[in-house]
Coordinates of all heavy atoms in Angstrom, one line a residue:
M1 N 123.9 216.9 165.4 CA 123.2 216.1 164.6 C 123.8 214.7 164.5 O 123.5 214.0 163.7 CB 123.2 216.8 163.2 CG 121.9 216.5 162.4 SD 122.0 217.1 160.8 CE 122.1 218.9 160.9
S2 N 124.6 214.4 165.4 CA 125.3 213.1 165.5 C 125.9 212.8 164.1 O 126.5 213.5 163.5 CB 124.5 212.1 166.2 OG 123.5 211.6 165.3
E3 N 125.5 211.5 163.7 CA 126.0 211.1 162.4 C 125.1 211.5 161.2 O 125.2 211.1 160.0 CB 126.3 209.6 162.4 CG 127.5 209.3 163.2 CD 127.9 207.9 163.1 OE1 128.0 207.4 161.9 OE2 128.0 207.2 164.1
A4 N 123.9 212.0 161.5 CA 123.0 212.4 160.4 C 123.6 213.5 159.6 O 124.4 214.3 160.0 CB 121.8 213.0 161.0
I5 N 123.4 213.3 158.4 CA 124.0 214.2 157.3 C 122.9 215.1 156.6 O 121.9 214.5 156.0 CB 124.7 213.4 156.2 CG1 125.7 212.4 156.8 CG2 125.3 214.3 155.2 CD1 126.4 211.5 155.8
A6 N 122.9 216.3 156.9 CA 121.9 217.2 156.2 C 122.4 217.4 154.8 O 123.3 218.1 154.5 CB 121.8 218.5 157.0
L7 N 121.8 216.9 153.8 CA 122.1 217.1 152.4 C 121.5 218.3 151.9 O 122.1 219.0 151.1 CB 121.6 215.8 151.5 CG 122.3 214.5 151.9 CD1 121.6 213.4 151.2 CD2 123.8 214.6 151.7
Q8 N 120.4 218.7 152.4 CA 119.7 219.9 152.0 C 118.9 220.3 153.1 O 118.1 219.6 153.5 CB 119.0 220.0 150.7 CG 118.4 221.3 150.3 CD 117.8 221.2 149.0 OE1 117.9 220.3 148.2 NE2 116.9 222.2 148.7
N9 N 119.0 221.5 153.7 CA 118.2 221.9 154.8 C 117.1 222.9 154.6 O 117.3 223.9 153.9 CB 119.2 222.5 155.9 CG 118.5 222.5 157.3 OD1 117.4 222.2 157.5 ND2 119.4 222.8 158.3
N10 N 115.9 222.6 155.0 CA 114.8 223.7 155.1 C 114.6 224.2 156.3 O 114.6 223.5 157.3 CB 113.5 222.9 154.6 CG 113.5 222.9 153.1 OD1 114.2 223.5 152.3 ND2 112.6 222.0 152.6
E11 N 114.5 225.5 156.5 CA 114.2 226.1 157.8 C 112.9 225.8 158.4 O 112.8 225.7 159.6 CB 114.4 227.7 157.7 CG 115.8 228.1 157.4 CD 115.9 229.6 157.3 OE1 115.0 230.3 157.8 OE2 116.9 230.1 156.9
D12 N 111.9 225.5 157.6 CA 110.6 225.1 158.1 C 110.5 223.7 158.5 O 109.4 223.2 158.9 CB 109.5 225.5 157.1 CG 109.6 224.5 155.8 OD1 110.5 223.8 155.7 OD2 108.6 224.7 155.0
K13 N 111.6 222.9 158.5 CA 111.6 221.5 159.0 C 110.6 220.6 158.3 O 110.0 219.8 158.8 CB 111.3 221.5 160.5 CG 112.3 222.2 161.4 CD 113.6 221.5 161.4 CE 114.5 222.2 162.4 NZ 115.8 221.6 162.5
K14 N 110.7 220.8 157.0 CA 109.9 219.9 156.2 C 110.7 219.5 155.0 O 111.5 220.3 154.3 CB 108.6 220.5 155.5 CG 107.8 219.7 154.7 CD 106.5 220.3 154.2 CE 105.8 219.3 153.3 NZ 104.7 219.9 152.6
Y15 N 110.8 218.1 154.7 CA 111.6 217.5 153.6 C 110.7 216.7 152.8 O 109.8 216.1 153.2 CB 112.7 216.7 154.3 CG 113.7 217.5 155.1 CD1 113.5 217.6 156.4 CD2 114.8 218.1 154.5 CE1 114.3 218.3 157.2 CE2 115.7 218.9 155.2 CZ 115.4 219.0 156.6 OH 116.3 219.7 157.4
D16 N 111.0 216.7 151.5 CA 110.3 215.8 150.6 C 110.7 214.4 150.7 O 109.9 213.5 150.7 CB 110.5 216.2 149.1 CG 110.0 217.6 148.9 OD1 108.7 217.8 149.0 OD2 110.8 218.5 148.4
I17 N 112.0 214.1 150.9 CA 112.5 212.7 151.0 C 113.4 212.6 152.1 O 114.3 213.3 152.4 CB 113.4 212.4 149.7 CG1 112.5 212.5 148.5 CG2 113.8 210.9 149.8 CD1 113.2 212.4 147.1
L18 N 113.2 211.5 152.9 CA 114.1 211.1 154.0 C 114.7 209.8 153.5 O 114.0 208.8 153.2 CB 113.3 210.9 155.3 CG 114.2 210.2 156.4 CD1 115.3 211.0 156.9 CD2 113.3 209.9 157.6
L19 N 116.0 209.7 153.4 CA 116.7 208.5 153.2 C 117.2 207.9 154.5 O 117.9 208.6 155.2 CB 117.9 208.8 152.2 CG 118.9 207.6 152.0 CD1 118.2 206.3 151.4 CD2 120.0 208.1 151.1
V20 N 116.9 206.7 154.7 CA 117.4 206.0 155.9 C 118.2 204.9 155.4 O 117.8 203.8 155.0 CB 116.1 205.4 156.8 CG1 116.7 204.7 158.0 CG2 115.2 206.6 157.1
S21 N 119.6 205.0 155.6 CA 120.5 204.0 155.1 C 121.9 204.3 155.7 O 122.4 205.4 155.6 CB 120.6 204.1 153.5 OG 121.5 203.2 153.1
P22 N 122.6 203.3 156.1 CA 124.0 203.4 156.4 C 124.9 203.5 155.3 O 126.1 203.7 155.3 CB 124.3 202.2 157.4 CG 123.3 201.1 156.8 CD 122.0 201.9 156.3
N23 N 124.4 203.0 154.0 CA 125.1 202.9 152.9 C 125.1 204.1 152.0 O 124.1 204.8 151.8 CB 124.5 201.7 152.1 CG 125.3 201.3 150.9 OD1 126.2 202.0 150.4 ND2 125.0 200.1 150.4
S24 N 126.3 204.5 151.6 CA 126.4 205.8 150.8 C 126.0 205.5 149.3 O 125.9 206.5 148.5 CB 127.8 206.4 150.8 OG 128.7 205.5 150.2
T25 N 125.7 204.4 148.9 CA 125.3 204.1 147.5 C 124.1 204.8 147.1 O 124.0 205.3 146.0 CB 125.0 202.5 147.3 OG1 126.2 201.8 147.7 CG2 124.6 202.2 146.0
Y26 N 123.1 205.0 148.0 CA 121.9 205.6 147.7 C 121.9 207.2 147.7 O 121.0 207.8 147.2 CB 120.8 205.2 148.6 CG 120.5 203.7 148.4 CD1 120.9 202.8 149.4 CD2 119.8 203.1 147.3 CE1 120.6 201.4 149.3 CE2 119.6 201.8 147.2 CZ 120.1 201.0 148.2 OH 119.8 199.6 148.1
D27 N 123.0 207.7 148.4 CA 123.1 209.2 148.4 C 123.1 209.9 147.1 O 122.3 210.8 147.0 CB 124.4 209.5 149.2 CG 124.5 209.0 150.6 OD1 123.6 208.4 151.1 OD2 125.5 209.3 151.2
H28 N 123.8 209.4 146.2 CA 123.9 210.0 144.9 C 122.6 209.9 144.1 O 122.1 210.8 143.5 CB 125.0 209.5 144.0 CG 125.1 210.1 142.7 ND1 125.5 211.4 142.5 CD2 124.8 209.6 141.4 CE1 125.6 211.7 141.2 NE2 125.1 210.6 140.5
R29 N 121.9 208.7 144.3 CA 120.6 208.5 143.6 C 119.6 209.5 144.1 O 118.8 210.1 143.3 CB 120.1 207.1 143.7 CG 121.0 206.1 143.1 CD 120.6 204.6 143.3 NE 121.5 203.7 142.8 CZ 121.4 202.4 143.0 NH1 120.4 202.0 143.7 NH2 122.4 201.6 142.4
I30 N 119.5 209.6 145.5 CA 118.5 210.5 146.0 C 118.8 211.9 145.7 O 118.0 212.7 145.3 CB 118.3 210.3 147.5 CG1 117.9 208.8 147.8 CG2 117.6 211.3 148.2 CD1 116.5 208.5 147.3
E31 N 120.1 212.3 145.7 CA 120.4 213.6 145.4 C 120.1 214.0 143.9 O 119.7 215.1 143.6 CB 122.0 213.8 145.6 CG 122.4 215.2 145.4 CD 123.9 215.5 145.9 OE1 124.5 214.4 146.2 OE2 124.3 216.5 145.8
T32 N 120.3 213.0 143.0 CA 120.0 213.3 141.5 C 118.6 213.5 141.4 O 118.1 214.4 140.7 CB 120.5 212.0 140.8 OG1 121.9 211.9 140.9 CG2 120.2 212.2 139.3
V33 N 117.7 212.6 142.0 CA 116.2 212.7 141.9 C 115.8 214.0 142.6 O 114.9 214.7 142.0 CB 115.5 211.6 142.6 CG1 114.0 211.8 142.8 CG2 115.8 210.3 141.9
S34 N 116.3 214.3 143.7 CA 116.0 215.6 144.4 C 116.3 216.8 143.5 O 115.4 217.7 143.4 CB 116.7 215.8 145.7 OG 116.2 214.8 146.6
K35 N 117.5 216.9 142.9 CA 117.8 218.0 142.0 C 116.9 218.1 140.8 O 116.5 219.1 140.4 CB 119.3 218.0 141.7 CG 120.3 218.4 142.8 CD 121.6 218.3 142.3 CE 122.6 218.6 143.6 NZ 124.0 218.6 143.1
A36 N 116.7 216.9 140.3 CA 115.9 216.9 139.0 C 114.5 217.4 139.2 O 113.9 218.0 138.3 CB 115.9 215.5 138.4
Y37 N 113.9 217.1 140.4 CA 112.5 217.5 140.6 C 112.3 218.6 141.6 O 111.2 219.0 142.0 CB 111.7 216.3 141.1 CG 111.6 215.3 139.9 CD1 112.6 214.1 139.9 CD2 110.7 215.4 138.9 CE1 112.5 213.2 138.9 CE2 110.6 214.4 137.9 CZ 111.5 213.3 137.8 OH 111.4 212.5 136.9
G38 N 113.4 219.2 142.1 CA 113.3 220.3 143.0 C 113.0 219.8 144.4 O 112.4 220.6 145.2
Y39 N 113.2 218.6 144.8 CA 112.9 218.2 146.1 C 114.0 218.4 147.1 O 115.1 218.6 146.8 CB 112.8 216.6 146.1 CG 111.6 216.0 145.3 CD1 111.6 214.8 144.9 CD2 110.5 216.8 145.1 CE1 110.6 214.2 144.2 CE2 109.4 216.3 144.4 CZ 109.5 214.9 143.9 OH 108.4 214.4 143.3
S40 N 113.6 218.6 148.4 CA 114.6 218.7 149.5 C 114.7 217.2 150.0 O 113.8 216.4 149.9 CB 114.1 219.6 150.5 OG 112.8 219.2 151.0
H41 N 115.9 216.9 150.6 CA 116.1 215.7 151.1 C 117.1 215.7 152.3 O 117.8 216.7 152.5 CB 116.7 214.7 150.0 CG 117.9 215.2 149.5 ND1 117.9 216.2 148.4 CD2 119.3 214.8 149.6 CE1 119.2 216.4 148.1 NE2 120.0 215.5 148.7
F42 N 117.0 214.6 153.1 CA 117.8 214.6 154.3 C 118.1 213.0 154.4 O 117.4 212.2 154.0 CB 116.9 215.0 155.4 CG 117.6 215.1 156.8 CD1 118.3 216.3 157.1 CD2 117.6 214.1 157.7 CE1 119.0 216.4 158.2 CE2 118.2 214.2 158.9 CZ 119.0 215.4 159.2
K43 N 119.3 212.8 155.1 CA 119.7 211.4 155.3 C 120.0 211.1 156.8 O 120.6 212.0 157.4 CB 120.9 211.0 154.4 CG 121.4 209.6 154.7 CD 122.6 209.2 154.0 CE 123.0 207.9 154.3 NZ 124.2 207.4 153.6
V44 N 119.6 210.0 157.2 CA 120.0 209.5 158.5 C 120.5 208.0 158.4 O 120.1 207.4 157.4 CB 118.9 209.5 159.6 CG1 118.6 211.0 160.0 CG2 117.7 208.7 159.2
Q45 N 121.4 207.6 159.2 CA 122.0 206.3 159.1 C 121.0 205.2 159.5 O 121.1 204.1 158.8 CB 123.3 206.2 159.9 CG 124.4 207.2 159.7 CD 125.0 207.1 158.2 OE1 125.3 206.0 157.9 NE2 125.1 208.1 157.5
T46 N 120.3 205.4 160.5 CA 119.5 204.3 161.1 C 118.0 204.9 161.4 O 117.9 206.0 161.7 CB 120.0 203.7 162.3 OG1 119.9 204.7 163.3 CG2 121.4 203.2 162.1
P47 N 117.0 204.0 161.5 CA 115.7 204.5 161.9 C 115.7 205.2 163.3 O 115.0 206.1 163.5 CB 114.8 203.3 161.9 CG 115.4 202.4 161.0 CD 116.9 202.7 161.0
D48 N 116.6 204.7 164.2 CA 116.7 205.3 165.5 C 117.1 206.8 165.4 O 116.7 207.6 166.3 CB 117.6 204.5 166.4 CG 117.0 203.2 166.8 OD1 115.8 203.0 166.8 OD2 117.8 202.2 167.1
E49 N 118.1 207.0 164.5 CA 118.5 208.4 164.3 C 117.4 209.3 163.8 O 117.3 210.4 164.3 CB 119.7 208.6 163.3 CG 121.0 208.2 163.9 CD 122.2 208.6 162.9 OE1 121.9 209.4 162.0 OE2 123.2 208.0 163.1
A50 N 116.5 208.7 163.0 CA 115.4 209.4 162.5 C 114.4 209.9 163.7 O 114.0 210.9 163.8 CB 114.6 208.7 161.5
S51 N 114.3 208.9 164.6 CA 113.4 209.2 165.8 C 114.1 210.3 166.8 O 113.4 211.1 167.3 CB 113.1 208.0 166.5 OG 114.2 207.3 167.1
E52 N 115.4 210.2 166.9 CA 116.1 211.1 167.8 C 116.1 212.5 167.1 O 116.1 213.5 167.8 CB 117.4 210.6 168.1 CG 117.4 209.3 169.0 CD 118.8 208.7 169.1 OE1 119.7 209.4 168.7 OE2 118.9 207.6 169.6
E53 N 116.5 212.6 165.9 CA 116.8 213.8 165.2 C 115.6 214.5 164.7 O 115.7 215.7 164.4 CB 117.9 213.6 164.1 CG 119.2 213.0 164.6 CD 120.0 214.0 165.4 OE1 119.8 215.2 165.3 OE2 120.7 213.5 166.3
M54 N 114.5 213.8 164.3 CA 113.6 214.4 163.5 C 112.1 214.3 164.0 O 111.2 214.4 163.2 CB 113.6 213.7 162.1 CG 115.0 213.8 161.5 SD 115.1 213.0 159.8 CE 114.2 214.4 158.9
E55 N 111.9 214.3 165.3 CA 110.6 214.2 165.8 C 109.6 215.3 165.4 O 108.5 215.1 165.3 CB 110.7 214.1 167.4 CG 111.2 212.7 167.8 CD 111.3 212.6 169.3 OE1 110.9 213.5 170.0 OE2 111.7 211.6 169.7
K56 N 110.2 216.5 165.2 CA 109.4 217.6 164.8 C 109.4 218.0 163.3 O 108.9 219.0 162.9 CB 109.7 218.9 165.6 CG 109.5 218.6 167.1 CD 109.9 219.8 167.9 CE 109.6 219.5 169.4 NZ 110.0 220.7 170.2
V57 N 110.0 217.0 162.5 CA 110.2 217.3 161.1 C 109.1 216.6 160.4 O 108.6 215.5 160.7 CB 111.6 216.8 160.7 CG1 111.7 216.8 159.1 CG2 112.7 217.6 161.3
R58 N 108.6 217.2 159.3 CA 107.6 216.6 158.4 C 108.3 216.1 157.2 O 109.2 216.8 156.7 CB 106.5 217.6 158.0 CG 105.6 218.0 159.2 CD 104.5 218.9 158.8 NE 105.2 220.1 158.3 CZ 104.5 220.9 157.3 NH1 103.4 220.7 156.9 NH2 105.2 222.0 156.9
V59 N 108.0 214.9 156.7 CA 108.5 214.2 155.6 C 107.5 213.8 154.7 O 106.5 213.2 155.1 CB 109.5 213.1 156.1 CG1 110.0 212.3 154.8 CG2 110.6 213.5 156.9
N60 N 107.7 214.0 153.3 CA 106.6 213.5 152.4 C 106.9 212.0 152.0 O 105.9 211.3 151.7 CB 106.6 214.3 151.1 CG 106.1 215.7 151.4 OD1 105.3 215.9 152.3 ND2 106.6 216.7 150.7
F61 N 108.1 211.6 151.8 CA 108.5 210.2 151.4 C 109.6 209.7 152.2 O 110.6 210.5 152.4 CB 108.7 210.1 149.9 CG 107.6 210.5 149.1 CD1 107.5 211.8 148.6 CD2 106.5 209.7 148.8 CE1 106.5 212.2 147.7 CE2 105.5 210.0 148.0 CZ 105.4 211.3 147.4
I62 N 109.6 208.4 152.4 CA 110.8 207.8 153.1 C 111.3 206.8 152.2 O 110.5 205.8 151.7 CB 110.3 207.2 154.5 CG1 109.8 208.2 155.4 CG2 111.5 206.4 155.1 CD1 109.3 207.8 156.7
V63 N 112.6 206.7 152.1 CA 113.3 205.7 151.3 C 114.1 204.9 152.4 O 115.0 205.5 153.0 CB 114.2 206.3 150.2 CG1 115.0 205.1 149.5 CG2 113.5 207.0 149.2
L64 N 113.7 203.7 152.6 CA 114.4 202.8 153.7 C 115.3 201.8 153.0 O 114.7 201.0 152.2 CB 113.3 202.2 154.5 CG 113.8 201.1 155.5 CD1 114.8 201.8 156.5 CD2 112.7 200.4 156.2
D65 N 116.4 201.8 153.3 CA 117.4 200.7 152.9 C 117.3 199.6 153.9 O 117.9 199.7 155.0 CB 118.8 201.3 152.8 CG 119.8 200.1 152.4 OD1 119.5 199.1 152.2 OD2 121.0 200.5 152.6
A66 N 116.6 198.6 153.6 CA 116.5 197.4 154.6 C 117.5 196.4 154.5 O 117.5 195.4 155.2 CB 115.1 196.8 154.5
A67 N 118.5 196.5 153.6 CA 119.5 195.5 153.4 C 120.4 195.2 154.6 O 120.7 194.1 154.8 CB 120.4 195.9 152.2
P68 N 120.6 196.3 155.5 CA 121.5 195.9 156.6 C 120.7 195.1 157.7 O 121.4 194.6 158.6 CB 121.7 197.4 157.3 CG 121.5 198.3 156.2 CD 120.4 197.6 155.3
A69 N 119.4 194.9 157.5 CA 118.6 194.1 158.5 C 119.1 192.6 158.4 O 119.3 192.1 157.4 CB 117.2 194.2 158.2
K70 N 119.1 192.0 159.7 CA 119.6 190.6 159.7 C 118.5 189.7 159.3 O 118.6 188.6 158.9 CB 120.2 190.3 161.1 CG 121.4 191.1 161.4 CD 121.9 190.8 162.8 CE 123.1 191.6 163.1 NZ 122.9 192.7 164.0
D71 N 117.2 190.1 159.6 CA 116.0 189.2 159.4 C 114.7 190.0 159.2 O 114.8 191.3 159.4 CB 115.9 188.2 160.5 CG 115.7 188.8 161.9 OD1 115.2 189.9 162.0 OD2 116.0 188.1 162.8
Q72 N 113.7 189.4 158.9 CA 112.5 190.1 158.6 C 111.9 190.8 159.8 O 111.4 192.0 159.7 CB 111.4 189.1 158.1 CG 110.1 189.8 157.8 CD 109.1 188.8 157.2 OE1 109.4 187.6 157.1 NE2 107.9 189.2 156.8
S73 N 112.1 190.4 161.0 CA 111.6 191.0 162.3 C 112.3 192.4 162.4 O 111.8 193.4 162.9 CB 111.7 190.2 163.5 OG 113.1 189.9 163.7
E74 N 113.6 192.5 162.1 CA 114.4 193.7 162.1 C 113.8 194.7 161.2 O 113.7 195.9 161.5 CB 115.9 193.5 161.9 CG 116.7 194.6 162.4 CD 118.2 194.3 162.4 OE1 118.6 193.2 162.1 OE2 118.9 195.2 162.8
V75 N 113.4 194.3 159.9 CA 112.8 195.1 159.0 C 111.5 195.7 159.6 O 111.2 196.9 159.5 CB 112.6 194.5 157.6 CG1 111.8 195.4 156.7 CG2 113.9 194.0 157.1
V76 N 110.7 194.8 160.2 CA 109.5 195.3 160.8 C 109.7 196.3 161.8 O 109.0 197.3 162.0 CB 108.7 194.1 161.3 CG1 107.5 194.5 162.1 CG2 108.2 193.2 160.1
G77 N 110.8 196.1 162.6 CA 111.1 197.0 163.7 C 111.5 198.4 163.1 O 111.1 199.4 163.7
Y78 N 112.3 198.4 161.9 CA 112.6 199.6 161.3 C 111.3 200.4 160.9 O 111.2 201.6 161.1 CB 113.4 199.4 160.0 CG 114.7 198.9 160.1 CD1 115.5 198.5 159.0 CD2 115.5 198.8 161.4 CE1 116.8 198.0 159.0 CE2 116.8 198.4 161.5 CZ 117.4 197.9 160.3 OH 118.7 197.5 160.3
L79 N 110.4 199.7 160.3 CA 109.2 200.2 159.8 C 108.4 200.8 161.0 O 107.7 201.9 160.9 CB 108.4 199.2 159.0 CG 109.0 198.8 157.7 CD1 108.2 197.7 157.1 CD2 109.2 200.0 156.8
Q80 N 108.3 200.1 162.1 CA 107.5 200.5 163.3 C 108.1 201.9 163.8 O 107.3 202.8 164.1 CB 107.5 199.4 164.4 CG 106.6 198.2 164.0 CD 106.7 197.2 165.1 OE1 107.6 197.1 165.8 NE2 105.7 196.3 165.0
V81 N 109.4 202.0 163.9 CA 110.0 203.3 164.4 C 109.6 204.4 163.4 O 109.3 205.4 163.8 CB 111.5 203.1 164.5 CG1 112.2 204.5 164.7 CG2 111.9 202.2 165.6
L82 N 109.8 204.1 162.1 CA 109.5 205.2 161.2 C 108.0 205.6 161.2 O 107.6 206.7 161.0 CB 110.0 204.8 159.8 CG 111.5 204.7 159.7 CD1 111.8 204.0 158.4 CD2 112.2 206.0 159.8
R83 N 107.2 204.5 161.2 CA 105.7 204.8 161.2 C 105.3 205.6 162.6 O 104.6 206.5 162.5 CB 105.0 203.5 161.2 CG 103.5 203.7 161.3 CD 102.8 204.6 160.2 NE 103.1 204.0 158.8 CZ 102.9 204.8 157.8 NH1 102.6 206.0 157.8 NH2 103.2 204.2 156.6
Y84 N 106.0 205.4 163.6 CA 105.8 206.1 164.9 C 106.2 207.5 164.8 O 105.5 208.5 165.2 CB 106.5 205.4 166.1 CG 106.3 206.1 167.4 CD1 105.1 206.0 168.1 CD2 107.3 206.9 167.9 CE1 104.9 206.7 169.3 CE2 107.2 207.7 169.1 CZ 106.0 207.5 169.8 OH 105.8 208.2 170.9
V85 N 107.4 207.8 164.2 CA 107.9 209.1 164.1 C 107.2 209.9 163.0 O 107.0 211.1 163.2 CB 109.4 209.1 163.8 CG1 110.0 210.5 163.7 CG2 110.1 208.4 164.9
F86 N 106.9 209.3 161.9 CA 106.2 210.0 160.8 C 104.9 209.3 160.5 O 104.8 208.6 159.4 CB 107.1 209.9 159.6 CG 108.5 210.4 159.8 CD1 109.5 209.6 160.0 CD2 108.7 211.8 160.0 CE1 110.9 210.1 160.2 CE2 110.0 212.4 160.2 CZ 111.1 211.5 160.3
P87 N 103.8 209.4 161.2 CA 102.6 208.7 161.1 C 101.9 209.0 159.9 O 101.1 208.2 159.3 CB 101.8 209.0 162.4 CG 102.3 210.2 162.9 CD 103.9 210.3 162.4
K88 N 102.1 210.2 159.3 CA 101.3 210.6 158.0 C 102.2 210.4 156.7 O 101.7 210.8 155.6 CB 100.9 212.1 158.1 CG 99.9 212.3 159.3 CD 99.6 213.7 159.4 CE 98.6 213.9 160.5 NZ 98.2 215.3 160.6
T89 N 103.4 209.9 156.9 CA 104.2 209.8 155.7 C 104.1 208.4 155.0 O 104.1 207.4 155.7 CB 105.7 210.0 156.1 OG1 105.8 211.2 156.8 CG2 106.7 209.8 155.0
P90 N 103.9 208.4 153.7 CA 103.7 207.1 153.0 C 105.1 206.3 153.0 O 106.2 206.9 153.1 CB 103.3 207.4 151.6 CG 103.7 208.9 151.5 CD 103.7 209.6 152.9

């Protein structure tokens, strides 16, 4: 799983929330929301890890930390990767 961190794993390869962030600040927030509402969640460091690690995984929601992006075009690139890997995910 390289640097991807499985915070909670489902055998059926479906997660409620995918967190995409190199920053650990959001880990606790997503974990708190997940526990409060019974959601499953998973974290990857970058959108590229999402494409490599999760091509066959279904995700209901994506939380993207775009702060590491250097400019708007990089944010658009992040979104394009995530939209390609998860075309049905809002």
Side-chain angles (χ1 to χ4, degrees):
M1 217 186 295
S2 71
E3 290 187 50
I5 302 169
L7 297 175
Q8 181 176 343
N9 196 353
N10 276 344
E11 290 182 15
D12 65 353
K13 298 288 185 180
K14 181 178 179 190
Y15 298 92
D16 294 305
I17 302 171
L18 168 65
L19 170 60
V20 181
S21 175
N23 189 340
S24 62
T25 303
Y26 298 107
D27 296 0
H28 181 68
R29 293 178 188 172
I30 295 298
E31 187 173 2
T32 300
V33 169
S34 294
K35 285 182 180 179
Y37 294 98
Y39 292 158
S40 59
H41 58 283
F42 189 85
K43 177 182 178 178
V44 294
Q45 303 292 317
T46 67
D48 290 333
E49 278 190 23
S51 64
E52 292 171 9
E53 300 291 332
M54 304 187 71
E55 289 180 359
K56 296 181 181 178
V57 173
R58 293 182 300 153
V59 175
N60 289 333
F61 298 98
I62 297 172
V63 177
L64 171 63
D65 173 12
K70 295 177 182 111
D71 57 30
Q72 185 176 359
S73 65
E74 195 169 1
V75 174
V76 171
Y78 290 171
L79 294 173
Q80 288 175 340
V81 168
L82 294 170
R83 178 57 62 199
Y84 178 77
V85 178
F86 306 104
K88 296 180 181 180
T89 301

